[in-house]
Amino acid sequence: MWLEHGDKIVGQSLILKQVIQQIETVASTDAAVLLLGETGTGKELFARLIHSLSARRGQQMVRADCALIPAGLLENELFGHERGAFTGAVARSIGRIELANKGTLFLDEAGDIPLDLQSKLLRVLQEREFERLGSSQTIRVDFRLVAATNRNLAEMVTNGQFRRDLYYRLSVFPIEIPPLRERTEDIPILVWHFVNKYAQHMNKRIDEILPEDMEALTQHGWPGNVRELQNVVERSMVVSAGPVLFLSRPAEVKMPNILPGTQTLAELERQHILQALQNTNWVLGGRHGAAARLGIKRTTLLYKMRRLGISRPA
């Protein structure tokens, strides 16, 4: 399903279709939606789908990432300010709530909203009015709210970290976005989607992916979900030469538990070559061999193995 800006929700799994059905049910209303799910599941894409299916699709969807914006600046980002409201406020600034008027306000990582700001946000959701910082003039707004979080807001309410009344306002219609490990049948479809995307950018042609590589991806737990899978495919596109895409196994892209600078370039190169050799059962040549995976000639691989002291185990 294509969205604005060329984004696409990809997959044919039953659990994904159920999520799409929920979105289609609620999109035509103005009910607040809370998207719940792990990091990397693509919650913003689903928020854009809600907006594109709603009666407000002709207006803009305004996004505010409550985790990325520093807590001290979040109030100003949401509500805006008048000139002279504080030191450095040399001109009026329109906040994101006001920008979302007639459209959709997307609060990403809503669980990171500070407690002292939650009461002000609650008033906006209840009364549909607010004042810019440094102003006593009340501004009326009309927007559709979509919020997203990877945190357990119900547990935060119990622990006193999140206002109960705001939680109820945000979660009128909660939707759980499934992690990638629960929709493994979508992994091959997603892989080819990202392959085609990066092939255009990198001016490469990929015709084949080894079945054993694809099987390894479907068996991975994907703690980073679709975002992690996308990174693996992009890295594989960079290092692969020829029409066969040699997918880097997810274990290869995990950050090593070492301090930066403690490995030399030679050590990193040796580690990379050893991994390619192990993945190909020490087959050097041919279209499925280690040399092809590394994007170098067989003779170059042999030279590097001699230089780095790499030999096949007995």
Side-chain angles (χ1 to χ4, degrees), residues 38-58:
E38 299 175 6
T39 298
T41 51
K43 293 187 287 294
E44 184 175 355
L45 281 181
F46 291 96
R48 292 194 178 279
L49 177 59
I50 293 171
H51 176 70
S52 66
L53 294 177
S54 74
R56 299 175 183 266
R57 56 184 172 273

Side-chain angles (χ1 to χ4, degrees), residues 55-308:
R56 299 175 183 266
R57 56 184 172 273
Q59 305 297 323
Q60 63 179 332
M61 184 183 94
V62 179
R63 175 177 179 263
D65 192 321
C66 304
L68 289 181
I69 302 172
L73 299 178
L74 184 57
E75 182 176 3
N76 181 42
E77 286 289 325
L78 291 177
F79 295 93
H81 65 258
E82 293 290 346
R83 178 181 177 182
F86 50 83
T87 303
V90 296
R92 171 185 287 176
S93 174
I94 304 300
R96 303 193 189 191
I97 290 175
E98 192 170 351
L99 289 173
N101 190 38
K102 304 300 181 183
T104 300
L105 177 66
F106 175 46
L107 293 180
D108 202 2
E109 304 301 344
D112 289 88
I113 300 174
L115 266 174
D116 57 350
L117 186 55
Q118 290 177 21
S119 58
K120 293 193 68 173
L121 180 61
L122 178 63
R123 182 206 167 196
V124 177
L125 298 180
Q126 289 177 329
E127 309 296 335
R128 298 293 168 171
E129 60 183 32
F130 73 100
E131 294 86 34
R132 299 192 195 104
L133 297 179
S135 173
S136 59
Q137 179 182 357
T138 300
I139 300 172
R140 298 285 302 177
V141 284
D142 171 27
F143 60 86
R144 165 61 166 299
L145 178 70
V146 179
T149 184
N150 61 359
R151 304 177 69 176
N152 188 332
L153 292 188
E155 185 177 294
M156 292 178 66
V157 168
T158 302
N159 296 334
Q161 299 171 308
F162 204 87
R163 290 183 62 111
R164 186 179 302 274
D165 43 10
L166 179 58
Y167 170 65
Y168 291 143
R169 279 286 175 181
L170 296 181
S171 59
V172 173
F173 197 93
I175 299 177
E176 191 83 35
I177 308 301
L180 192 54
R181 62 181 175 274
E182 293 181 6
R183 43 182 288 228
T184 53
E185 59 266 52
D186 289 337
I187 290 177
I189 305 173
L190 282 161
V191 169
W192 277 110
H193 168 70
F194 292 132
V195 165
N196 293 330
K197 173 183 176 180
Y198 291 120
Q200 293 181 355
H201 296 322
M202 300 180 186
N203 195 26
K204 289 186 175 183
R205 177 180 173 180
I206 300 296
D207 297 324
E208 182 182 355
I209 297 175
L210 299 181
E212 57 267 31
D213 283 352
M214 191 69 82
E215 178 64 23
L217 296 189
T218 59
Q219 296 300 320
H220 183 57
W222 299 109
N225 292 292
V226 178
R227 187 179 298 132
E228 182 188 0
L229 175 63
Q230 182 174 359
N231 291 343
V232 167
V233 174
E234 183 178 11
R235 178 179 181 275
S236 302
M237 292 287 293
V238 170
V239 301
S240 293
V244 180
L245 179 66
F246 296 104
L247 285 163
S248 301
R249 306 295 170 89
E252 294 179 41
V253 297
K254 289 181 180 177
M255 295 301 293
N257 294 320
I258 56 175
L259 293 175
T262 58
Q263 276 188 310
T264 65
L265 284 174
E267 289 170 335
L268 288 171
E269 185 180 28
R270 189 176 193 277
Q271 178 181 329
H272 189 58
I273 290 175
L274 275 171
Q275 188 68 64
L277 289 166
Q278 291 167 1
N279 287 343
T280 58
N281 293 319
W282 291 80
V283 175
L284 305 186
R287 63 188 306 210
H288 297 166
R293 279 183 177 246
L294 295 167
I296 59 179
K297 295 180 180 179
R298 183 177 181 277
T299 53
T300 303
L301 176 57
L302 286 168
Y303 165 75
K304 289 179 177 288
M305 289 173 64
R306 287 195 296 268
R307 178 169 60 83
L308 297 169

